[in-house]
Amino acid sequence: MSEVQSGVAPSEESQSDISISFREKATKGKVGFKRKLWLFWALLGPGIISSLSNNDAGGMISYTMTGAVFGISFFLPLLFLLAPIDYNMQEMSMRLGAVTKTEYRELLLRYFGKFWHYTSVAALGLANLMYIITEFVGMTAGLTLMGLPLWLADLISFAFVSFVMFFMGYWSKERLGILVGVVNVVFIIVAFMTHPDPAEIGKVFTSWPSITWDLKSDGMLIFILATIGNAIAPFMLYYNNNTTLDKGLTRKDLRLGRIDIALGSLLQPIFAAAVMICGAALMGHVANIDDSNPADLITAFVPVTGRIGSILFALGLFNAGWLAAITISFSSAYTVAGAFGWKRSQNNKISEAPKFYGLYFGCLLLGAVVILIPDLPLSMLAVFTQIFATMLFVPDLIFLVLLTNNRKVMGEYANSGWKRLLGWGIVSLYSAVSVVTIILTLNGTMS
């Protein structure tokens, strides 16, 4: 079915024609072991960036608060139990792009119609706005503690994230993203500086967890929902799918793409666990944590780790927000530009795709402006963002599973029997999270 017949707005140039074959580009002129080593380095990209971006500033604030409220608890093993969800959702998204050479959004319009297509675009826009606000919350927290006024800290953060537009080509932007993601290691350093008890950490991985459902006592259910919600995010589907096309991955590269995603899915819970351990050291150090802001959390590290630990945590939070803001804004730009048939590739210069980069810039500007609103409950905003964005993501999860199950779309690369079962299991879990969230909202628990 042609794009015109299916109602898909044709882009000004085919996404798959923008870059040459990933394998050819990565290994040109390389032989033997050097070729394999270079190919391994080159494969790192969409999967690892998407996973580390999911450890965004809002997510890290949520993990810190979880640790500060519950200490070293069952939330640590929960992070690793959720890692396969991250992997499988991203693998389906990557495989869909590599096999069909078509954006998820276009396939959604072709097979499910305009209503679900535009509903999905709108839901992504709303979820991404919530995420971007929390990224600026995290980025500005450390800068304000240095004595900068909020407006100046906000402006500096905005300039840092906007700077990536001027990098030439997807490859340069991707390498920058990986470099930024590596800075997450500072959270592990701070975790060691808090001197956690290894025996206590080992115990939560080997004993049955103690779970309370009394929302009035500690709100554990809300933090469970936030942790599950933070395992995957709407922008991951769109970013991974579109950058698979930008990078030029094909069916031959599925194995390499899976390795990329697996590395990201492994690193994501490791860094998240480090942040949760950091938060556990703050138990009793933050008064009225529900009304606290990220700056309060950063300041609370001073008596625990000294000023160096506090500075490193602030750096990690800024870095997490920086990487996520880049990824989230590009996912919005890809999706909205695609809906209107505009050029939409990081391989394009700003002059070649002004509307695409204008959307990227506009998403950042909107998020930067919103945090200047006085008296926002910034820390709890980060927790609730993880929950409500999940609700908006459920329809896309359903469509992703349906598309990758469909042999007319995927051919021999369609989901196997166990993959179908796992896909519907993920859909069921996040549907249940959404139902519980709606019930709690109606009861006024989450207000």
Side-chain angles (χ1 to χ4, degrees):
M1 184 182 294
S2 69
E3 289 184 337
V4 176
Q5 289 173 323
S6 64
V8 178
S11 59
E12 295 184 35
E13 66 180 294
S14 170
Q15 291 287 81
S16 59
D17 291 337
I18 292 173
S19 59
I20 64 173
S21 166
F22 160 75
R23 189 180 294 273
E24 292 176 9
K25 185 176 182 179
T27 61
K28 188 176 181 180
K30 308 296 190 300
V31 294
F33 177 75
K34 188 176 181 181
R35 178 181 183 277
K36 293 180 180 179
L37 191 62
W38 181 252
L39 188 60
F40 176 76
W41 161 244
L43 75 88
L44 298 178
I48 197 167
I49 291 175
S50 185
S51 288
L52 293 184
S53 296
N54 197 32
N55 273 350
D56 64 321
M60 293 309 203
I61 293 169
S62 177
Y63 291 142
T64 307
M65 292 184 67
T66 303
V69 174
F70 301 102
I72 302 296
S73 65
F74 86 98
F75 282 97
L76 286 177
L78 178 61
L79 292 172
F80 291 91
L81 290 174
L82 294 171
I85 295 176
D86 174 11
Y87 172 83
N88 282 281
M89 188 278 291
Q90 289 207 76
E91 191 277 336
M92 286 189 285
S93 176
M94 179 275 297
R95 178 160 39 96
L96 184 68
V99 171
T100 66
K101 305 305 296 179
T102 306
E103 293 177 51
Y104 163 77
R105 179 201 54 75
E106 292 187 11
L107 293 170
L108 185 60
L109 176 57
R110 183 178 303 173
Y111 289 96
F112 299 101
K114 291 184 178 181
F115 173 81
W116 286 114
H117 168 261
Y118 289 112
T119 298
S120 177
V121 171
L124 178 73
L126 177 58
N128 281 1
L129 174 60
M130 295 169 67
Y131 281 119
I132 290 172
I133 292 169
T134 64
E135 309 321 328
F136 278 97
V137 169
M139 285 189 290
T140 56
L143 295 177
T144 55
L145 285 177
M146 293 171 56
L148 296 179
L150 177 60
W151 69 267
L152 182 56
D154 196 24
L155 182 61
I156 292 172
S157 300
F158 177 74
F160 261 85
V161 185
S162 299
F163 175 67
V164 75
M165 291 194 303
F166 300 99
F167 276 73
M168 294 299 298
Y170 172 75
W171 174 263
S172 298
K173 296 183 182 74
E174 182 183 81
R175 297 304 100 180
L176 173 67
I178 294 173
L179 180 63
V180 173
V182 169
V183 182
N184 270 297
V185 74
V186 300
F187 290 120
I188 296 179
I189 296 173
V190 177
F192 275 106
M193 293 176 71
T194 65
H195 304 292
D197 183 354
E200 188 178 0
I201 295 174
K203 183 178 179 180
V204 299
F205 281 91
T206 56
S207 60
W208 191 256
S210 174
I211 302 175
T212 62
W213 305 108
D214 185 358
L215 291 167
K216 295 181 179 179
S217 64
D218 57 16
M220 178 174 279
L221 178 57
I222 291 176
F223 283 92
I224 291 174
L225 295 176
T227 303
I228 294 174
N230 202 45
I232 54 177
F235 70 83
M236 299 171 73
L237 189 166
Y238 285 90
Y239 182 82
N240 196 302
N241 179 255
N242 280 280
T243 51
T244 293
L245 302 179
D246 259 3
K247 193 164 184 174
L249 295 182
T250 68
R251 302 177 186 196
K252 295 179 181 179
D253 303 310
L254 289 178
R255 178 174 173 272
L256 298 176
R258 287 172 179 137
I259 294 174
D260 173 37
I261 293 169
L263 286 173
S265 299
L266 175 63
L267 290 173
Q268 188 270 336
I270 290 175
F271 291 134
V275 172
M276 207 170 278
I277 291 171
C278 292
L282 300 184
M283 288 189 73
H285 290 271
V286 183
N288 198 12
I289 195 166
D290 287 352
D291 295 325
S292 66
N293 60 54
D296 296 328
L297 298 177
I298 294 171
T299 303
F301 279 106
V302 175
V304 178
T305 64
R307 186 165 177 78
I308 295 298
S310 177
I311 292 172
L312 287 176
F313 192 87
L315 172 64
L317 206 56
F318 181 93
N319 178 76
W322 185 16
L323 179 60
I326 293 170
T327 307
I328 293 166
S329 295
F330 269 127
S331 75
S332 292
Y334 275 123
T335 305
V336 177
F340 289 97
W342 300 335
K343 280 187 177 181
R344 53 196 182 279
S345 173
Q346 294 182 55
N347 288 310
N348 291 131
K349 300 176 182 177
I350 295 177
S351 59
E352 294 171 337
K355 295 175 182 177
F356 172 72
Y357 286 103
L359 287 166
Y360 173 83
F361 186 83
C363 290
L364 295 174
L365 182 61
L366 188 57
V369 169
V370 169
I371 73 160
L372 297 177
I373 299 173
D375 301 322
L376 285 178
L378 300 180
S379 289
M380 285 308 295
L381 176 65
V383 174
F384 289 130
T385 292
Q386 314 306 321
I387 300 172
F388 287 111
T390 299
M391 294 175 58
L392 297 172
F393 192 27
V394 171
D396 277 321
L397 279 176
I398 294 172
F399 293 130
L400 179 62
V401 174
L402 288 172
L403 285 169
T404 51
N405 282 348
N406 193 333
R407 291 197 171 273
K408 291 182 180 179
V409 177
M410 300 294 292
E412 63 181 298
Y413 297 96
N415 290 335
S416 60
W418 71 268
K419 199 83 170 180
R420 289 169 180 252
L421 184 63
L422 189 57
W424 289 122
I426 294 173
V427 168
S428 299
L429 173 63
Y430 283 88
S431 297
V433 168
S434 298
V435 170
V436 173
T437 299
I438 292 171
I439 293 173
L440 293 179
T441 302
L442 293 176
N443 288 338
T445 306
M446 301 188 71
S447 59

